[in-house]
Amino acid sequence: QVQVVESGGGLVQPGGSLRLSCAASGTIPSMIIMAWYRQAPGNQRELVASITSGGLTHYEDSVKGRFAIARDNAKNTVYLQMNSLKPEDTAVYYCNFVGVGVLYWGQGTQVTVSS
């Protein structure tokens, strides 16, 4: 049985920082892609950032230069460092793991950017 557990969300003021973590445990194959998505009320879920097993990264345009994704393959963990947060970053953030024939989602963690 695979468990995917996220942590690190919360309330932060504009300009602040948060670090999200997401770990997959259990009997799991090597993950090809690890990613973070977010969904704001009334919006579709969107890709925020992704990282391949080789370390190639991709970022959604609005977070480039502010967010950084990283992964620890040995721990099956993905991180999202979020700096210079803006109110429009407010959303539920979901981690996502893609392997050969498998797809896992985290339960979601709320990030609220407000003064």
Side-chain angles (χ1 to χ4, degrees):
Q1 186 176 356
V2 176
Q3 286 189 317
V4 180
V5 180
E6 300 181 26
S7 61
L11 173 64
V12 63
Q13 292 186 340
S17 298
L18 282 175
R19 187 186 191 224
L20 305 182
S21 299
C22 180
S25 61
T27 304
I28 54 178
S30 296
M31 296 301 166
I32 300 171
I33 296 175
M34 296 182 182
W36 288 94
Y37 287 73
R38 66 185 178 187
Q39 187 168 18
N43 291 353
Q44 290 186 333
R45 191 172 297 189
E46 65 175 359
L47 176 65
V48 176
S50 64
I51 183 168
T52 69
S53 56
L56 293 177
T57 58
H58 169 81
Y59 294 96
E60 193 269 328
D61 284 346
S62 70
V63 307
K64 286 180 180 177
R66 300 189 297 122
F67 290 12
I69 190 170
R71 62 188 283 171
D72 184 330
N73 291 328
K75 296 181 179 179
N76 280 313
T77 300
V78 62
Y79 306 95
L80 186 67
Q81 178 66 43
M82 304 185 293
N83 300 324
S84 301
L85 283 161
K86 304 176 181 180
E88 50 264 44
D89 294 318
T90 295
V92 178
Y93 284 70
Y94 299 89
C95 63
N96 169 269
F97 293 85
V98 179
V100 176
V102 296
L103 172 67
Y104 302 113
W105 286 96
Q107 81 280 5
T109 185
Q110 177 70 46
V111 171
T112 302
V113 185
S114 175
S115 55

